[in-house]
Amino acid sequence: MNKNYIGYRPTWAEINLSNLAHNFQQIKKLVSPGVKVMACVKADAYGHGLIKVARKLAFCKVDFFGVASVDEGISLRQAGLKQPILIMGLLLKKYIHPVFEYHLTPAVCDEDLAFALNRKARLLGVPINAHIKVDTGMGRIGVLYKDSEEFIKRIHKLKFINIEGVFTHFPFAGQDRGFTLRQINLFDSLIRRLKSQGINIPLRHTANSMGIIGYKNSHFNMIRPGLALYGLYPAKYDVGTAQCAVPTFMTKINLKPVLSLKTRIIFVKKVPVGFGVSYGHTYVTKKKTIIVTLPIGYGDGYPRNLSNQAPVLIKGRHFKVCGNICMDQIMVDVGNLPVKAGDEVVLIGSQGKSRISVEELAGLAGTISYEIVCGLGSRVPRLYQ
Ligand SMILES: *Cc1c(COP(=O)(O)O)cnc(C)c1O
């Protein structure tokens, strides 16, 4: 595995691409045959590495990629990926040319952008595929639901825009089942009304990971998993019970985490009682002990508000970060554990029988799993297995 160059600082993330493939298959098992999968690989594939992840998914026969920006789409094309790519975010009118140059599929929810795309496509003599984004309750982007039918009918008249898809997004599939079911109904009713007027949109999609797992009728004929592909559960982690509050309606799904975060002890010291550790001395030893220093910090995206909280694994046992997390270093009180510089430490992942999950860290840091993995910095090399 260690063929990739990771530099001289022993801090790295391991990305298990077999687990990614496993999760992809698990997700496919939840949906009817024929339902397409758009893998969401925005934000550097949630911090896992855009190109490596996309290549593995292409090997697994993914149908579509979903990214946030044109630039992410261009990166995929430059790496040779041939699948259709939906830009799920919006673009400015003056920046539409790369969409044509790189065969990207824009999301459309305003008429000005649609006109600009139509004009450019006419000049080139080739219609462009677009997906219409409808706001059924997310309140972010999308044509407002009440205007959506008329909007789509107007776009449908533009000769050089081919409405290949229509989609919407769920703001709280994990919390409010009634609200989400109403969104699904609204979307379904829009599609029926359009159909009755002869407008058949080939791809209809609503489901993020929580939608896929919890709402069978949200699948339509394409799903958009992100988080679940990376083996993370789209549910709130409860620090009190140390469990993901998986809503009871969630279908059972067996996901395997893809990312592990590891480092090595860089310094060991024996200290007396009353010894202050790190900025602000928020940790002072209560007895004679051993403190180790690890070369990772908030400069790598290891959240500072995990100070005095985050668990780490050394020799298969749980210890806790002590003192404030610094930009490049953290300390751990290991008691009387015999350790030496160079010993491996797991910050996310398994060691022996012990495990630290992204969900657990997110819960402790008062955030969501998404932010933990997306936040891992470029200073942390990714090693692929
Ligand atoms: C990121 C994203 C998804 C994937 O969401 P997950 O919760 O990670 O599965 C789906 N749809 C849109 C529009 C997104 O931006």
Side-chain angles (χ1 to χ4, degrees), residues 313 315-317 346 350-355:
L313 301 175
K315 294 187 190 284
R317 286 175 52 190
V346 170
S350 302
Q351 195 182 55
K353 290 201 171 70
S354 305
R355 185 164 107 82

Side-chain angles (χ1 to χ4, degrees), residues 269-287:
K269 59 180 178 281
K270 291 187 172 148
V271 301
V273 62
F275 186 85
V277 176
S278 193
Y279 293 115
H281 281 190
T282 57
Y283 185 82
V284 178
T285 57
K286 294 205 176 63
K287 55 179 174 29

Side-chain angles (χ1 to χ4, degrees), residues 74-319:
I74 293 175
S75 300
L76 286 173
R77 286 289 179 253
Q78 286 176 338
L81 288 136
K82 300 279 189 275
Q83 284 72 14
I85 299 170
L86 177 65
I87 313 298
M88 299 189 293
L90 292 178
L91 31 134
L92 291 174
K93 258 191 322 192
K94 63 175 176 179
Y95 295 139
I96 58 173
H97 55 278
V99 158
F100 292 90
E101 191 176 339
Y102 292 95
H103 298 284
L104 306 172
T105 306
V108 168
C109 57
D110 90 76
E111 228 160 351
D112 263 2
L113 178 65
F115 290 152
L117 289 165
N118 189 56
R119 241 185 337 264
K120 174 100 182 161
R122 179 186 296 125
L123 278 175
L124 295 169
V126 192
I128 182 160
N129 283 346
H131 289 212
I132 308 289
K133 180 75 185 275
V134 178
D135 186 356
T136 57
M138 176 70 190
R140 189 169 62 181
I141 58 172
V143 55
L144 294 184
Y145 183 74
K146 68 178 176 55
D147 305 326
S148 59
E149 184 179 338
E150 289 308 313
F151 178 80
I152 291 174
K153 286 201 284 201
R154 287 198 298 277
I155 304 300
H156 184 69
K157 291 201 181 103
L158 301 175
K159 289 245 159 45
F160 283 84
I161 292 197
N162 172 37
I163 306 179
E164 180 195 40
V166 56
F167 69 119
T168 194
H169 195 51
F170 302 140
F172 32 50
Q175 292 113 293
D176 191 335
R177 189 155 183 82
F179 187 91
T180 307
L181 289 171
R182 277 196 297 284
Q183 285 187 278
I184 297 170
N185 282 338
L186 290 176
F187 188 75
D188 194 48
S189 131
L190 172 67
I191 287 165
R192 282 172 201 281
R193 273 178 282 135
L194 290 166
K195 200 169 175 179
S196 73
Q197 296 165 76
I199 301 179
N200 283 301
I201 303 180
L203 296 173
R204 305 171 293 274
H205 46 110
T206 69
N208 56 359
S209 295
M210 185 59 101
I212 297 162
I213 297 171
Y215 303 78
K216 189 129 189 92
N217 62 346
S218 74
H219 299 171
F220 292 90
N221 65 356
M222 187 154 77
I223 54 170
R224 300 192 307 268
L227 199 68
L229 280 172
Y230 309 102
L232 303 173
Y233 286 88
K236 205 165 165 10
Y237 184 87
D238 186 78
V239 176
T241 63
Q243 274 182 353
C244 267
V246 176
T248 48
F249 60 80
M250 265 172 72
T251 326
K252 275 230 176 323
I253 179 169
N254 163 25
L255 301 172
K256 294 183 180 171
V258 174
L259 181 143
S260 307
L261 180 63
K262 300 186 178 175
T263 187
R264 289 185 188 280
I265 293 173
I266 208 88
F267 186 62
V268 182
K269 59 180 178 281
K270 291 187 172 148
V271 301
V273 62
F275 186 85
V277 176
S278 193
Y279 293 115
H281 281 190
T282 57
Y283 185 82
V284 178
T285 57
K286 294 205 176 63
K287 55 179 174 29
K288 230 175 101 177
T289 189
I290 297 171
I291 303 280
V292 301
T293 302
L294 312 175
I296 183 168
Y298 63 78
D300 301 290
Y302 195 68
R304 186 169 177 277
N305 60 359
L306 287 175
S307 296
N308 287 309
Q309 293 200 77
V312 306
L313 301 175
I314 305 175
K315 294 187 190 284
R317 286 175 52 190
H318 275 89
F319 296 92

Side-chain angles (χ1 to χ4, degrees), residues 8-68:
Y8 297 108
R9 185 179 71 143
T11 296
W12 69 99
E14 288 172 10
I15 308 295
N16 187 320
L17 293 173
S18 314
N19 286 359
L20 176 75
H22 164 89
N23 298 332
F24 180 83
Q25 300 308 343
Q26 287 292 307
I27 292 166
K28 281 216 83 144
K29 271 206 263 173
L30 287 183
V31 301
S32 308
V35 171
K36 291 186 192 258
V37 182
M38 173 188 294
C40 290
V41 292
K42 62 205 186 198
D44 202 26
Y46 292 41
H48 293 65
L50 174 64
I51 302 307
K52 287 284 203 318
V53 163
R55 286 198 178 128
K56 185 69 178 186
L57 292 169
F59 181 79
C60 297
K61 301 207 159 36
V62 72
D63 301 285
F64 235 101
F65 288 114
V67 295

